[in-house]
Amino acid sequence: MAKMKVDNVILPSHGSEKTFDVTITDNIVTSVRPSSAPHHCPSLLLPSLCHPHLHLDKAYLLTSNNPTYAHLAPKTGTFSEALTTTAQAKSLYTEDDLYLRGAQLLSTIYTQGATSARTFVEVDATTGTLPLTVARRLKREFAHLIEIQIVAFAQEPLFSKDDGEANRLVLEGVLASEAAADISVLGTTPYVEVDEHAMSENIHWAIETAIDKCLHLDFHLDYNLKPTGINQGQVMPWAFNVVTFLLTADWNTMNKDKTVVLGHCTQLSHANPRNLRHAAHRIRTHNLPIHFVGLPTSDLFMMGRDHYPKPRGTLPVMDFIREPYCLNACLGVNNVGNAFTPYGTGDPLTLASWGVGIYQAGTEKDAETLYGCVSWRARKAIGLASEQDEKEREETDVVEGMRWKPMLLVENKGAVEVPGPGSGDGVSGVMAFPARQRVSIRDVVWDPPEVNLRKVIR
């Protein structure tokens, strides 16, 4: 019988004044009791973090300092340049290089508190199956730490340009091979096709293939800031078309319990509210498992480069969650250390914290929602949350009888110590001050704790 105890922890659902001792036996919470010996700086116990959208094979292309990719450093920083240089990088991949960068990324997100991740790996005529082969190895080696979903991902066209058919054949071959056992998701990028007809073919093929293979579906979509509507010069977001396509394909019946994620969708940041309400109503009425994933770190870096003044746009995640839309939405990091997002560590808590400013979401309730966007809402988006798990995690509660899943322990230091003023003999003393305590979700989102204060409890 495996038994574990976590003592003197704050459970957010019970407020910050009480502390508890939690006992877990054979992965079941068997006891939640008031702390027997409360400490003046208790730890905070929270649901662990989740990456709903993370490119595994492209991580650290710029920040690994691998000379192989040195000539691909951004010159203009544009999206088209990032597409071009990243495509060039793919032809230079080696198994050892892919493994090292992937392992570095997964190790880092675990120390940050993530225990689940949807990871994209590109499969096309250039890369072949090499990134997928490495991803499968990493999935096995990190299985004890992170629940990894692999997305067989088409960044390149499937129905246009010279290599569209070749790309599609490679992807179809992978989905029919023994490697398919490790693939949970099919992902495509319709906007890289040359015209609307090819984009429509891309989406229809992806929906039909996901249904045939019983896979989750993930689209990179509407990555622009074009005016929305039906008048001249305006373009209706493809996200609205996806709703229609899914209903026509009878997704809920044909691919039960599989989610559909729409990533980026920056165009929706200024969609007509009436059109958006209509689309949201259709999604809710038909109970479509559509989840929107906002990716602000890359969106805000890329959008508006060809205009002056320079507009910025990212999916309005907080507005989508609130009334009148009441949609499923969360936050993802997308890229780390490459031309699409050359800055940042990929820390989900930092992303949630930035969300306070990006979405002007400054209340305590907003902080809880933003934490959920990088935790239980993200897990729900990628299909890793059961109904019981959703309820437990949304309430951030720990109750007797529930299944134990990895949790994030945020530790509190008793004091902050800094060198004191030097004395006459040149020897410095130490000045010590009581450390600020993080005792609620608000504290963690507004002021993310250092990584060394985070610990995953499995």
Side-chain angles (χ1 to χ4, degrees):
M1 179 181 291
K3 192 170 184 177
M4 175 176 66
K5 195 172 183 184
V6 186
D7 291 336
N8 195 43
V9 293
I10 296 170
L11 304 177
S13 58
H14 293 271
S16 60
E17 302 299 322
K18 301 176 182 178
T19 62
F20 296 85
D21 297 337
V22 180
T23 303
I24 305 98
T25 306
D26 291 337
N27 289 323
I28 300 294
V29 176
T30 52
S31 176
V32 180
R33 296 285 185 269
S35 294
S36 56
H39 190 265
H40 71 281
C41 51
S43 299
L44 179 63
L45 192 63
L46 299 171
S48 62
L49 307 177
C50 172
H51 278 277
H53 187 122
L54 193 61
H55 287 271
L56 185 64
D57 49 353
K58 295 187 289 196
Y60 306 137
L61 283 174
L62 297 181
T63 56
S64 65
N65 292 315
N66 184 334
T68 302
Y69 308 116
H71 66 293
L72 300 177
K75 305 296 189 299
T76 64
T78 60
F79 181 61
S80 59
E81 179 190 57
L83 285 173
T84 300
T85 57
T86 304
Q88 293 172 1
K90 290 193 296 187
S91 65
L92 304 173
Y93 286 169
T94 66
E95 184 169 352
D96 288 345
D97 164 61
L98 282 165
Y99 178 82
L100 175 60
R101 289 186 290 104
Q104 289 171 334
L105 180 65
L106 294 173
S107 300
T108 298
I109 69 170
Y110 182 76
T111 63
Q112 291 165 340
T115 61
S116 52
R118 171 170 287 186
T119 59
F120 292 78
V121 289
E122 296 183 27
V123 178
D124 54 45
T126 300
T127 63
T129 61
L130 181 59
L132 176 61
T133 298
V134 175
R136 295 176 68 200
R137 177 185 170 190
L138 290 166
K139 178 182 172 75
R140 291 191 298 271
E141 294 185 8
F142 280 82
H144 63 297
L145 301 177
I146 304 172
E147 189 171 5
I148 296 173
Q149 273 190 348
I150 294 178
V151 186
F153 178 55
Q155 173 73 67
E156 308 297 332
L158 299 177
F159 289 90
S160 57
K161 299 185 180 179
D162 294 339
D163 55 356
E165 183 177 7
N167 292 333
R168 190 173 72 254
L169 289 175
V170 174
L171 189 52
E172 288 175 341
V174 161
L175 295 176
S177 71
E178 56 88 20
D182 287 323
I183 298 171
S184 304
V185 192
L186 174 62
T188 74
T189 315
Y191 61 74
V192 300
E193 304 285 0
V194 298
D195 55 36
E196 291 190 358
H197 177 71
M199 288 178 66
S200 183
E201 284 189 296
N202 183 305
I203 294 171
H204 278 295
W205 174 86
I207 291 173
E208 292 170 359
T209 303
I211 289 173
D212 181 57
K213 302 296 183 181
C214 297
L215 297 171
H216 297 288
L217 189 56
D218 202 307
F219 288 120
H220 288 49
L221 212 61
D222 295 323
Y223 203 33
N224 63 74
L225 295 178
K226 296 176 182 178
T228 67
I230 57 176
N231 297 326
Q232 185 175 3
Q234 297 181 329
V235 179
M236 290 297 289
W238 279 87
F240 297 165
N241 294 332
V242 168
V243 174
T244 299
F245 295 165
L246 290 171
L247 291 174
T248 301
D250 196 13
W251 178 271
N252 283 353
T253 300
M254 301 301 293
N255 211 8
K256 186 177 174 59
D257 299 326
K258 301 299 183 182
T259 68
V260 179
V261 167
L262 307 183
H264 291 294
C265 295
T266 52
Q267 190 182 12
L268 295 181
S269 64
H270 60 145
N272 181 298
R274 182 175 61 183
N275 293 337
L276 193 54
R277 285 196 299 270
H278 176 67
H281 177 73
R282 293 183 75 196
I283 292 170
R284 295 195 310 271
T285 299
H286 295 282
N287 200 30
L288 286 174
I290 290 177
H291 296 256
F292 293 88
V293 177
L295 306 163
T297 48
S298 57
D299 294 345
L300 297 178
F301 176 65
M302 285 296 177
M303 292 291 101
R305 290 182 170 273
D306 299 328
H307 304 276
Y308 187 83
K310 296 182 181 298
R312 293 290 186 268
T314 190
L315 189 73
V317 166
M318 295 295 283
D319 288 341
F320 272 33
I321 292 171
R322 300 175 181 133
E323 293 183 350
Y325 307 119
C326 301
L327 291 166
N328 293 313
C330 62
L331 287 169
V333 166
N334 192 29
N335 284 287
V336 183
N338 61 40
F340 294 100
T341 317
Y343 65 99
T345 67
D347 179 14
L349 277 186
T350 298
L351 181 62
S353 185
W354 287 350
V356 176
I358 292 170
Y359 305 115
Q360 299 175 328
T363 70
E364 291 192 40
K365 181 64 176 176
D366 289 337
E368 293 175 5
T369 300
L370 286 166
Y371 188 92
C373 284
V374 295
S375 181
W376 59 84
R377 286 181 178 272
R379 284 182 60 84
K380 182 179 178 182
I382 64 176
L384 294 183
S386 66
E387 290 185 7
Q388 179 186 359
D389 183 56
E390 289 170 26
K391 183 176 186 301
E392 292 163 357
R393 295 302 182 248
E394 287 185 3
E395 295 178 353
T396 64
D397 206 355
V398 176
V399 296
E400 292 181 5
M402 68 174 274
R403 296 185 314 279
W404 178 262
K405 290 201 172 184
M407 300 283 282
L408 177 60
L409 190 74
V410 177
E411 298 176 332
N412 281 305
K413 295 185 292 186
V416 176
E417 296 183 349
V418 295
S423 59
D425 58 5
V427 178
S428 296
V430 174
M431 297 190 298
F433 305 94
R436 289 179 298 111
Q437 303 294 294
R438 294 179 178 87
V439 298
S440 67
I441 291 177
R442 178 196 75 175
D443 296 338
V444 169
V445 170
W446 289 354
D447 182 17
E450 298 89 341
V451 169
N452 63 1
L453 296 178
R454 309 179 201 180
K455 181 180 179 181
V456 173
I457 305 296
R458 306 196 63 84

